[in-house]
Amino acid sequence: MSPSLSSAVCAWLLVLLCAVSGAYCLRQVPRAGGGAAGEAVMGFGMALMAVPLWGAGGWQAPALGVVFCGAALHAVWLLRGGAHHAHHLVGSLTMVYMSLMAASGHGHGAGLPLLTGLLLLYYAGYVVLGGARLVTAGGSAAPPPQAGPGRRGGSGELTRACRLAMGIGMLAMLLTM
């Protein structure tokens, strides 16, 4: 497989992963509320940012930058409820940063090396910690919730898996900068 073909395949797999995560989170909005809506916006936005057909200088990156600025403002608003929403703020600001780099027309190696490095460390830690939590949650002694009409067993693990998938996607997008 040629390098350009394998790169395109990886990009489309990232698009699919982020879109499926966003769709799952969107489906959770009636039960989980605003947090799931924010995750859905992040998943769909990441999917759009990962589409390999968009070139630099188009309207897509600035438009997504505006969407993620709005998501960052929403995350700041959510911080009133507790510091556990800080990850949404970091994610939104990371997407704004990547949108700015895409809009500027810079290719690989774009961005501020120190900021990109710090974000890589943050998301690498998030992925490792999230994976460890997912593994330990799957092996816990607590019985899964009863499945019945309108209820699904193990939805907490699936939500954590979606967040982990989006963290991996963010890490992958940062690595391509």
Side-chain angles (χ1 to χ4, degrees), residues 10 26-27 35 46 54 78 80 92 111 113 115 120 125 143 172 174:
C10 288
L26 186 61
R27 189 168 175 242
M46 287 173 61
W54 291 1
L78 291 176
R80 296 175 307 116
S92 298
L115 180 56
L120 282 168
L174 284 164

Side-chain angles (χ1 to χ4, degrees), residues 69-119:
C69 281
L73 290 174
H74 183 255
V76 168
W77 177 260
L78 291 176
L79 281 174
R80 296 175 307 116
H84 60 277
H85 294 288
H87 174 70
H88 294 286
L89 179 60
V90 172
S92 298
L93 292 175
T94 301
M95 292 302 292
V96 170
Y97 172 63
M98 288 191 287
S99 297
L100 288 171
M101 294 304 106
S104 69
H106 292 89
H108 295 289
L112 304 171
L114 179 61
L115 180 56
T116 303
L118 289 173
L119 290 170

Side-chain angles (χ1 to χ4, degrees), residues 95-164:
M95 292 302 292
V96 170
Y97 172 63
M98 288 191 287
S99 297
L100 288 171
M101 294 304 106
S104 69
H106 292 89
H108 295 289
L112 304 171
L114 179 61
L115 180 56
T116 303
L118 289 173
L119 290 170
L120 282 168
L121 283 174
Y122 173 82
Y123 280 102
Y126 180 82
V127 166
V128 169
L129 185 61
R133 285 181 179 163
L134 188 61
V135 169
T136 58
S140 68
Q146 295 295 327
R151 295 181 64 184
R152 298 190 187 279
S155 65
E157 286 86 4
L158 195 50
T159 300
R160 282 192 286 271
C162 284
R163 289 180 182 154
L164 180 61

